[in-house]
Amino acid sequence: MSNYGREVIKVCIRMRPLLPPYEDEEIWGIDSRTSTIFTLTSSFASKLLDVSSNSSGSIREKESRLRYAETLGPQSFTFDYIYAPDSTSQQIYYEVSRPIIHRVLNGFNGTIFMYGQTTSGKTYTMLGTPDFPGILPCSIREIFQTIVKDTENEYNVWISYIEIYNEQINDLLAPGKVNLKVKEDPKQGVVIQDVKQQQVWTFDQVILLMNYGEEHRTYRETSIHEHSSRSHTLFQVYIESFPRASKGRGRIRYSCLNLVDLAGSERLNDFDTKNVTQIGEAGYINKSLFILAHVVNKLAEGKTKHIPYRDSKLTRILSQALGGNSLASIICTVSPAAMNFQQTLSTLRFASRAKTVQNTPHINEILGELANSNEIKAQLTNLQQELLELNTSKIGYETRCKFLENQLEKIQKEIHAKEEQFERMIEGNNKEREIIERLQMVIEKQEVDMENERIMINGQYQKVMEKYQEERRVRIELEKELDSHKEILGRTIKSEQQTLSRLNMLIVKSGGSPVDIPSPNFSYHPNADMNFINSLVFHIETDVSIPPNSVNEWKDVSSRLVNDYRVSLERLQDQYFNKVQTLAERLIDDQRRIQEILISHRGELRNNEGMF
Ligand SMILES: Nc1ncnc2c1ncn2[C@@H]1O[C@H](COP(=O)(O)OP(=O)(O)OP(=O)(O)O)[C@@H](O)[C@H]1O
């Protein structure tokens, strides 16, 4: 085995296009020149403030996103590669995966894994479609094309395909084989016990097997993705190669390519809370991704000891790719949508930490039967020397061994206790997270209810104000009408008084006593009597003879007139005051109702504040 240097994990980001009609505006932008991804904060803020727009998400959700983004300020991340929404999987394959494939063919282990929230495009990038093949088919094609062209070496290739569903390993190429165990192999490192390893010779054969495995993989329709992977999958390609001339008795290189498609992280409140299967699956997915992030964090901090690989099957299987003997690339898929802002940010933070993790890849090589005999002889001499040394210090060694065994047992117990404690902590965390998410849902609902109520109260207030305006308008019109009546009445009374004065003059002239002229305070109500008086005055003034009974008659008429004026005026005043009274009462009533609604609304607000 030769010595090799350390290599950091390569990390690339792929941003998929917006998925209409559910997703709203873009919040992330890309500068391909500098491989930077950044927030379009100003447009984000302006778009989120426009809460009345038709875009998806509740008003509360948008406001909380805005608050979150404002608190954080502009975000920007730089990676090895960043791919814009119009990039192809083939392009990513050429730049990110192909260099690894060629080194795997030379005896290095290699791992490429997809990481990102649900619906961000992991499976699309890994498997692709018939028109746009993904990383997996492109890698397999490259392997066989290279093997065919290599005239110096001979190769054997095997594949296996497993899924980790609810922390249980199931064989996708042998569907009956479930709950497989993981074990340490001195030669190959961590391996899956009893997994079906199928030898393959062509690209088509591998694709057939891949499709067969896909049929048995666990997918489910969720509220946000109709074909969502509910498990992590691991597609492994084992390659053995040796120079044709040695016929397998010289140096043999063996390597393994791991293609990992992780299930997406998701928020528990994106699920129907009554769907126990979905909630359970999401819990397992989130827990294993949490442990993966924990492992990456520890490695990123530069720690090499006590890395909690054993806390999940996923991290145990990926231990070679994370800080071990493997080349590794992580392809993080993200959504550009404002509604996925927090999940994208969390993926980018994971990616930032992952790109500082270092591995120590080396060529895996063993010696065949007729390998360099000098090397074997040298090794034999070393071993004999070691044996001699061991024999001489056998007693000390045995004592030391005993001591170490005891120590080991003690440490194992401690580890076990810590593992249990950690399990309980994670369970507690999950429960707390669930409670917080439920509380958030309750708060969200109450805020929506309060918003609706506020809109309703505004509507009612608006109506009351309109009614009040209308009644005010009617009152002003009534006052105007009354004024005009008064004016007409005044004018009429004046003209009638003049007529009656003229009549009195005639009466006095003819030796009679004058009649009382009514005061001008009374209302006028036109009637036939006035016509009669007018004709009487006309007769007198024009010396036309007046019928003898007419003088008494006009006296009656004039006193009736006075009464009529009074009654008419009083009726008019009554009507006017009644109307004004009714309007005032209605106004007071409406104001009282508005007051009551506002008081109860404030009371509820105070209750809600008290709750949270
Ligand atoms: N780069 C892309 N270009 C066009 N469409 C894409 C792209 N990436 C993803 N999609 C589409 O987005 C949807 C979700 O993609 P995909 O199934 O790959 O998501 P995922 O991350 O694997 O989700 P899950 O974790 O729920 O399985 C699919 O309809 C897919 O066709």
Side-chain angles (χ1 to χ4, degrees), residues 37-134:
I37 177 166
F38 54 89
T39 43
L40 307 163
T41 317
S42 56
S43 98
F44 180 50
S46 73
K47 277 168 183 161
L48 286 186
L49 276 174
D50 182 14
V51 286
S52 60
S53 79
N54 288 330
S55 62
S56 57
S58 69
I59 291 170
R60 184 194 165 269
E61 209 179 298
K62 288 178 178 188
E63 284 172 347
S64 102
R65 268 189 264 144
L66 174 61
R67 273 198 303 274
Y68 189 52
E70 278 178 346
T71 329
L72 289 175
Q75 298 289 307
S76 166
F77 298 84
T78 303
F79 293 98
D80 297 316
Y81 299 95
I82 294 198
Y83 294 94
D86 59 355
S87 61
T88 63
S89 303
Q90 222 153 354
Q91 195 181 340
I92 301 174
Y93 166 73
Y94 269 101
E95 285 170 348
V96 180
S97 313
R98 195 163 177 261
I100 291 187
I101 304 301
H102 280 278
R103 290 176 74 186
V104 167
L105 283 162
N106 277 322
F108 286 92
N109 291 330
T111 304
I112 298 163
F113 65 90
M114 316 298 312
Y115 181 96
Q117 75 164 111
T118 183
T119 74
S120 58
K122 297 178 295 297
T123 308
Y124 180 88
T125 307
M126 180 55 92
L127 300 183
T129 63
D131 292 334
F132 299 102

Side-chain angles (χ1 to χ4, degrees), residues 181-200:
K181 300 282 169 271
V182 179
K183 64 168 190 178
E184 303 280 340
D185 178 271
K187 188 179 118 191
Q188 299 175 51
V190 177
V191 293
I192 299 160
Q193 206 169 3
D194 296 331
V195 71
K196 179 167 181 178
Q197 294 184 336
Q198 175 69 53
Q199 189 161 12
V200 285

Side-chain angles (χ1 to χ4, degrees), residues 229-436:
S229 333
R230 303 287 73 208
S231 61
H232 310 299
T233 57
L234 169 65
F235 191 96
Q236 289 188 300
V237 185
Y238 315 93
I239 300 175
E240 180 188 81
S241 69
F242 49 85
R244 280 182 196 280
S246 76
K247 297 199 168 70
R249 288 182 293 174
R251 289 178 193 279
I252 301 173
R253 286 181 175 175
Y254 57 93
S255 55
C256 178
L257 172 67
N258 298 305
L259 298 171
V260 188
D261 185 7
L262 297 178
S265 59
E266 42 231 320
R267 294 177 306 182
L268 288 179
N269 58 359
D270 283 336
F271 291 101
D272 174 2
T273 43
K274 289 192 198 99
N275 193 328
V276 183
T277 315
Q278 277 195 8
I279 292 287
E281 284 169 351
Y284 275 110
I285 293 171
N286 288 349
K287 182 178 167 186
S288 56
L289 291 175
F290 171 76
I291 296 168
L292 173 66
H294 188 53
V295 166
V296 167
N297 281 351
K298 290 223 156 195
L299 293 168
E301 286 164 13
K303 301 212 168 111
T304 49
K305 289 181 183 161
H306 311 303
I307 308 294
Y309 293 115
R310 300 177 78 91
D311 284 348
S312 77
K313 301 257 165 58
L314 178 69
T315 43
R316 205 158 167 216
I317 293 173
L318 290 181
S319 56
Q320 286 300 317
L322 300 165
N325 163 28
S326 179
L327 302 157
S329 277
I330 304 181
I331 301 172
C332 292
T333 50
V334 294
S335 150
M339 64 183 288
N340 295 326
F341 174 68
Q342 282 165 17
Q343 292 94 323
T344 299
L345 185 62
S346 132
T347 301
L348 294 173
R349 283 176 174 164
F350 170 84
S352 292
R353 286 189 291 269
K355 73 179 184 179
T356 62
V357 173
Q358 293 187 338
N359 289 347
T360 42
H362 57 72
I363 290 179
N364 303 296
E365 203 169 56
I366 51 168
L367 299 171
E369 303 161 28
L370 297 179
N372 190 332
S373 59
N374 285 340
E375 202 167 324
I376 293 178
K377 272 182 205 154
Q379 280 185 9
L380 202 64
T381 316
N382 283 344
L383 283 174
Q384 278 167 346
Q385 182 64 31
E386 271 177 36
L387 194 65
L388 199 67
E389 281 168 17
L390 278 175
N391 277 336
T392 50
S393 58
K394 194 169 171 225
I395 299 167
Y397 170 75
E398 277 172 356
T399 323
R400 176 97 187 124
C401 241
K402 194 77 201 151
F403 171 75
L404 286 176
E405 269 171 15
N406 288 341
Q407 285 287 95
L408 191 66
E409 203 176 316
K410 214 168 116 197
I411 289 169
Q412 272 170 344
K413 273 187 194 149
E414 271 174 25
I415 289 175
H416 190 66
K418 284 263 180 300
E419 276 175 352
E420 280 181 355
Q421 193 186 351
F422 190 56
E423 285 274 320
R424 280 198 299 278
M425 238 170 69
I426 288 172
E427 257 171 43
N429 274 351
N430 280 349
K431 273 191 198 132
E432 271 170 25
R433 203 174 307 141
E434 252 176 67
I435 291 170
I436 289 169

